Amino acid sequence: MRARRLVWPLALAASLALPASLAAPAAARSPGAPAAGCDPTQTEPVYRGDVPSPEKVLGFELGERQVSAAESDRYLETVAAESERVVSGTLATSAQGRPLKYAIAGRPGLMSKAGLAKVRREAGLLRDPRTPDALAKRITRRGVPILWVSGNVHGNEPSGTDAALRVLRDLGDREDCAARTILDSALVVVLPTQNPDGREAGTRQNVYGFDMNRDWFARTQPETDGKLAMLNQYPPALYIDAHEMGGTSYFFPPNADPVYHETPEQAIGWINDVYGAAMAAEFTRRGIDFFNRDVYDLFYQGYGDSVPTSAFHAAGMTFEKGNASPYPDKVQEQYLTQWVTLSEAARNRHRLLTEWRQMTVDAYEQGKAGKLEPNQVYNPPNEVERQVPDRRVRSYFLRNDDPAKRAEVRTVVRRLQRMGVRVERLVRPLTVPDFKPYGRSAARTTLPAGTYWISMAQGQKHWIQAMLGEDSYTPFPYFYDVTAWSLPLLANVAGGSSGAVLRPRAVPVRTLPAPRPGHEGKAPKLGVLQLSETSSSARESAGWLRHRLDRDWRLPFTRLTTADVAAGKLAGIEVLVTPDGPASPAYDALGDAGRTALQEWTRGGGRYIGWQGGAQLAARLGLTTATLSEPTSDIPGSLFRAKVDEDGPLADDVGGTVWNFTAYDLVMRASSGVAVSYPEADSPGWFVSGFERGAAELGGTAAVVDQPAGEGRSVLFAAEPNFRALTDGTAKLLHNAILGPDPEQEAAPRASATAKAAREAARLPSPESPIRVSVKRAEAAEAASVLRSVGAKWSESRSGGVVHYVVDNPRGLPTDHHPFAARLPSLIRRAGITPVAVTLP
């Protein structure tokens, strides 16, 4: 049954409005319980008429069609201009120069500068565990929580924006008890669109190819960075993130497992038992189809629900509406979930503030005791397969005694500080009895003065562990995203942890400035070859690279296509960088002319740098002796310690090891020119942060090769060195590959060796964002039956006792827009299969 749309004619709304002379002055009201019998959704809306309707401003009602980014801004500013309950501002400017407009709504008494400052100050006091209990109780009795409503982080998922504008109009103009309940008991921040460039282009990603629902902890994009700066000013107790997915159903929490272990239990209680329960009751009453406890997890610490939960102790809420529904229905259901959730938060104002405060106190006490939260599951019959180690962690340290790494260390420190983490610096050496360096055993260690110290005895304890822990301790093998994101490992900086009670001589560190972009030395004439305009992997990888070149290194470059190469446009290019993308279609698209041009350019003295599909293309063209093969392991996105050849030019300022990010990447083997390699799996140097099954196959193989190709050179990475522009450690290898000198001349490779590499590369598939399912051999028949039932097409391989299915996804659709990917985990579970791994695109 389709939802009944609550669309009220303007004339009726006006007739129900209270005369201004009879309305109670909102500024005089204080937070309290809602009026008895005031139902959030069944109360008839009463509009004052101060705020013009969307039809009067835009020429159509919200939901008739999607608003443009400019129309959204115009209506938001209209509401703010006409309502004393609303103020507006701009929190960031997108890469293409569009503003990210926000509005703040509340009772008029809060809307002055002094009123808003008071709300911010009280929120800060509740988030500080040092605040006296008596003061905290007074704030929880009289204060208001800050509730966020945001939409459209994926530009091609527009309906959350229109719904948020409806919410804003209602908060700005409605005078009935349902609206007053929210206004009297909360401050609401409305951010209608988080990705205006993507909205205008109709793309999931922003202009640089970033999925900004993965960018929250790294803050590489201006849209994300500005949003988090605003969140730190107005810390949320509730954060709504409205999306769209495939189909016609609606998802709202409870979430699927896994849930990250450092997720406060009170927040999960609000997500599951308060907001989730309220929406389930409303959707059931209306007969609207919905589901929960499936598909959308709360694990990776880069989402718009997980970061508000771990970093702000908010109830982070992902809402997903099926995009196959008519647009008016999509907007109506998005509006319904937003309004119901805001209403439930307001109706429970005192409890919400009390528990929000308690989460900070609990976090501080846990950090003081060195207690890490354990893994658990929330949706039986799932079971924890990997538990958090039973080890005390009271302190983290970041070493600052390597001049070559100081910029990366400062970047990590700054990211912590900008999320409210207190960082101190040792003024005297400190002997730590149980210092555990990342990926090593604990030992008595003296840390030098200048080392950064991060105590876990802070209200931000959960976030500290999420960012500085050496592993995510994935509880069981279901992966909606990557499983490793430790900031020190991504940056390749030295540090570690201790569980001892320490009293170091240390001083607080002021928030460090942003790093200065740029590069040293002469920039080469640089080309970037994007292997496909339609492949999602090519667009993302090339976009991440363009961002790094534009924003971080300030290196000018020329964008090239396969057609450009075939047309002779490599002339004048000195270094060509080829990111990921489908290698076989690109090889064909080059044609004989393009292939010959690329071979002659490289062998004539050009420097070819490629990774993943770009490396596979180089092998097919005979530019390397390195052989590539499909992995037989399950590595959904993990960090591996790798050895660096310190005598080679790629090692400059990197050191002897680097943390290499890999996710089902090709296995590369080479007998010469190995610049970075994986340790043997049984050696002391072997360590993996994140999930892996069968990763020992990487032991002793190459991660990066640097080989001569005629008079030129090919530098090939098996994995993405610039993943989401946050793997700063391996990005330095890429930086050196572009700007550094050539290595000492090696003997030219034998034609037979390059021919073998080309033959093996030609046999490799070029899957686009595939779905991967791995099961034990005994359950292979049942797994194949599940795949056939949804119409999947797949390739199959076997290793040891495991069968690996790689399911074709030719359009590169993400899970939430794929016709069956989201259903696979539950179908596998219902078939009685215990998978080795299920990895969704």
Side-chain angles (χ1 to χ4, degrees):
M1 175 181 172
R2 187 165 291 153
R4 178 172 60 87
R5 295 177 60 204
L6 293 178
V7 179
W8 295 91
L10 186 62
L12 176 59
S15 71
L16 293 173
L18 285 173
S21 61
L22 298 180
R29 290 192 293 267
S30 61
C38 183
D39 186 277
T41 62
Q42 298 184 73
T43 298
E44 292 187 356
V46 179
Y47 292 94
R48 300 181 301 173
D50 293 345
V51 175
S53 69
E55 185 175 25
K56 285 187 175 180
V57 178
L58 304 176
F60 59 93
E61 288 297 340
L62 294 169
E64 290 182 12
R65 67 162 174 83
Q66 72 179 67
V67 297
S68 67
E71 289 170 336
S72 173
D73 292 347
R74 187 175 2 140
Y75 193 67
L76 181 148
E77 291 292 6
T78 298
V79 177
E82 300 299 332
S83 177
E84 78 284 7
R85 306 169 180 173
V86 179
V87 298
S88 65
T90 300
L91 59 79
T93 302
S94 73
Q96 290 186 323
R98 293 185 176 89
L100 270 72
K101 294 281 189 179
Y102 69 86
I104 303 175
R107 64 180 187 270
L110 295 179
M111 290 299 101
S112 65
K113 287 185 178 179
L116 292 174
K118 180 174 183 287
V119 173
R120 294 196 302 270
R121 184 172 60 253
E122 290 181 345
L125 288 167
L126 291 182
R127 295 186 75 208
D128 187 343
R130 297 168 297 183
T131 299
D133 287 343
L135 175 56
K137 288 179 180 178
R138 284 200 299 272
I139 295 171
T140 61
R141 282 197 301 269
R142 304 290 295 178
V144 295
I146 302 170
L147 316 177
W148 277 65
V149 178
S150 65
N152 205 200
V153 72
H154 295 144
N156 60 350
E157 299 174 4
S159 59
T161 296
D162 306 71
L165 291 172
R166 281 187 61 184
V167 167
L168 179 61
R169 188 260 179 119
D170 283 4
L171 293 176
D173 203 48
R174 274 176 62 171
E175 192 59 17
D176 52 81
C177 65
R180 287 200 307 268
T181 296
I182 299 173
L183 291 163
D184 288 351
S185 301
L187 192 76
V188 181
V189 181
V190 179
L191 178 60
T193 179
Q194 303 169 75
N195 183 5
D197 294 351
R199 186 179 187 88
E200 290 305 291
T203 58
R204 180 181 180 89
Q205 298 93 348
N206 74 347
V207 70
Y208 277 114
F210 282 78
D211 182 335
M212 290 191 296
N213 198 35
R214 306 294 187 272
D215 185 50
W216 277 69
F217 74 81
R219 301 171 67 163
T220 66
Q221 301 307 288
E223 301 93 330
T224 317
D225 187 65
K227 176 172 55 185
L228 277 158
M230 182 78 175
L231 278 159
N232 276 281
Q233 290 186 56
Y234 291 90
L238 167 69
Y239 190 91
I240 293 171
D241 197 17
H243 295 253
E244 292 181 20
M245 60 180 179
T248 59
S249 188
Y250 202 106
F251 169 85
F252 48 75
N255 297 91
D257 287 319
V259 174
Y260 182 61
H261 69 97
E262 288 288 335
T263 305
E265 285 302 307
Q266 296 98 323
I268 293 176
W270 279 96
I271 291 168
N272 292 358
D273 303 328
V274 178
Y275 302 131
M279 286 183 291
E282 184 65 25
F283 272 52
T284 299
R285 185 182 71 81
R286 291 170 178 256
I288 304 173
D289 183 49
F290 71 93
F291 71 94
N292 47 39
R293 299 187 186 275
D294 203 2
V295 184
Y296 302 100
D297 63 22
L298 197 63
F299 187 68
Y300 170 61
Q301 296 296 293
Y303 296 143
D305 55 5
S306 59
V307 171
T309 305
S310 298
F312 296 98
H313 303 161
M317 307 290 291
T318 288
F319 295 160
E320 297 269 0
K321 170 57 189 167
N323 59 12
S325 298
Y327 201 70
D329 291 354
K330 290 195 288 185
V331 173
Q332 168 60 21
E333 292 178 28
Q334 297 275 32
Y335 168 83
L336 187 63
T337 52
Q338 293 173 19
W339 192 258
V340 167
T341 309
L342 292 175
S343 300
E344 204 64 27
R347 289 159 64 91
N348 289 273
R349 180 200 61 82
H350 182 257
R351 176 187 166 189
L352 176 57
L353 285 176
T354 300
E355 294 187 7
W356 195 57
R357 161 67 181 174
Q358 190 60 45
M359 282 185 259
T360 290
V361 174
D362 291 348
Y364 170 80
E365 294 296 340
Q366 289 175 11
K368 184 178 179 182
K371 178 185 175 183
L372 300 183
E373 294 270 19
N375 267 330
Q376 56 183 310
V377 298
Y378 295 86
N379 305 303
N382 296 331
E383 295 181 358
V384 173
E385 295 190 11
R386 186 185 184 200
Q387 191 49 269
V388 177
D390 185 16
R391 175 178 175 264
R392 298 286 175 180
V393 178
R394 287 186 169 91
S395 298
Y396 279 100
F397 296 92
L398 296 172
R399 299 192 65 140
N400 196 34
D401 48 347
D402 182 351
K405 300 291 183 67
R406 282 183 181 158
E408 287 85 354
V409 172
R410 288 170 68 86
T411 294
V412 174
V413 170
R414 175 176 161 82
R415 283 177 174 162
L416 294 169
Q417 291 175 318
R418 296 184 73 212
M419 293 297 282
V421 175
R422 185 179 71 255
V423 180
E424 300 179 64
R425 183 171 48 82
L426 301 184
V427 296
R428 291 184 180 177
L430 175 69
T431 298
V432 181
D434 63 338
F435 180 68
K436 186 182 186 306
Y438 286 111
R440 306 285 187 186
S441 299
R444 186 178 181 85
T445 306
T446 298
L447 298 172
T451 298
Y452 291 105
W453 172 50
I454 303 95
S455 169
M456 290 281 271
Q458 301 187 47
Q460 285 292 73
K461 175 257 184 179
H462 301 302
W463 186 245
I464 295 168
Q465 178 61 24
M467 293 297 98
L468 298 184
E470 70 177 16
D471 200 351
S472 59
Y473 308 116
T474 315
F476 74 98
Y478 165 77
F479 314 110
Y480 195 85
D481 205 77
V482 304
T483 64
W485 54 80
S486 172
L487 287 179
L489 274 56
L490 291 169
N492 194 36
V493 299
S497 61
S498 166
V501 176
L502 302 171
R503 293 178 177 83
R505 290 288 302 274
V507 295
V509 179
R510 292 182 179 180
T511 301
L512 299 177
R516 295 180 63 182
H519 66 277
E520 296 180 0
K522 182 182 177 182
K525 293 180 179 178
L526 181 64
V528 173
L529 174 58
Q530 185 169 323
L531 295 183
S532 170
E533 293 298 321
T534 58
S535 157
S536 61
S537 61
R539 288 198 308 269
E540 285 193 331
S541 187
W544 302 338
L545 174 63
R546 288 189 291 107
H547 176 271
R548 182 73 76 170
L549 297 174
D550 282 342
R551 298 269 175 145
D552 293 345
W553 296 340
R554 299 288 173 88
L555 282 171
F557 61 93
T558 300
R559 297 176 68 172
L560 298 169
T561 66
T562 53
D564 293 330
V565 173
K569 294 186 179 180
L570 283 177
I573 298 295
E574 297 173 294
V575 176
L576 181 68
V577 184
T578 307
D580 189 24
S584 294
Y587 181 88
D588 295 338
L590 283 168
D592 290 338
R595 293 191 287 268
T596 299
L598 200 44
Q599 290 166 331
E600 291 180 350
W601 174 85
T602 307
R603 291 170 181 159
R607 185 182 298 182
Y608 180 101
I609 303 169
W611 54 85
Q612 296 170 299
Q616 185 180 341
L617 177 64
R620 289 202 66 177
L621 294 171
L623 303 179
T624 181
T625 63
T627 60
L628 301 168
S629 61
E630 277 283 286
T632 60
S633 54
D634 284 288
I635 306 171
S638 303
L639 285 159
F640 288 71
R641 183 162 44 217
K643 299 184 296 182
V644 179
D645 176 9
E646 294 189 75
D647 295 326
L650 300 189
D652 187 34
D653 289 343
V654 175
T657 61
V658 71
W659 292 93
N660 199 56
F661 182 88
T662 184
Y664 286 104
D665 290 304
L666 297 173
V667 180
M668 184 160 63
R669 295 177 173 85
S671 57
S672 65
V674 177
V676 182
S677 62
Y678 294 106
E680 295 295 340
D682 57 356
S683 71
W686 178 263
F687 186 83
V688 184
S689 175
F691 181 91
E692 62 83 13
R693 289 290 185 273
E697 69 167 330
L698 293 180
T701 67
V704 187
V705 297
D706 186 354
Q707 296 181 334
E711 296 299 315
R713 171 185 175 196
S714 69
V715 182
L716 307 180
F717 297 76
E720 168 74 68
N722 185 42
F723 181 72
R724 295 177 183 163
L726 53 83
T727 51
D728 293 334
T730 47
K732 188 171 278 189
L733 295 170
L734 174 60
H735 176 275
N736 292 340
I738 294 172
L739 293 172
D742 288 322
E744 293 183 10
Q745 191 64 32
E746 297 181 19
R750 293 185 178 182
S752 59
T754 58
K756 178 186 177 184
R759 287 194 303 271
E760 295 195 13
R763 289 196 290 264
L764 292 171
S766 292
E768 177 64 28
S769 303
I771 301 159
R772 297 179 184 269
V773 178
S774 297
V775 300
K776 297 173 184 175
R777 286 197 179 193
E779 297 178 324
E782 291 86 349
S785 179
V786 169
L787 294 174
R788 280 192 296 271
S789 73
V790 295
K793 297 179 180 178
W794 69 84
S795 61
E796 182 178 328
S797 64
R798 296 172 182 246
S799 62
V802 177
V803 179
H804 305 275
Y805 299 95
V806 180
V807 180
D808 193 25
N809 181 17
R811 294 171 58 196
L813 294 173
T815 299
D816 46 359
H817 290 266
H818 193 278
F820 61 77
R823 291 187 286 134
L824 274 180
S826 60
L827 292 174
I828 289 169
R829 185 170 59 246
R830 289 173 196 165
I833 300 168
T834 302
V836 174
V838 177
T839 305
L840 303 181

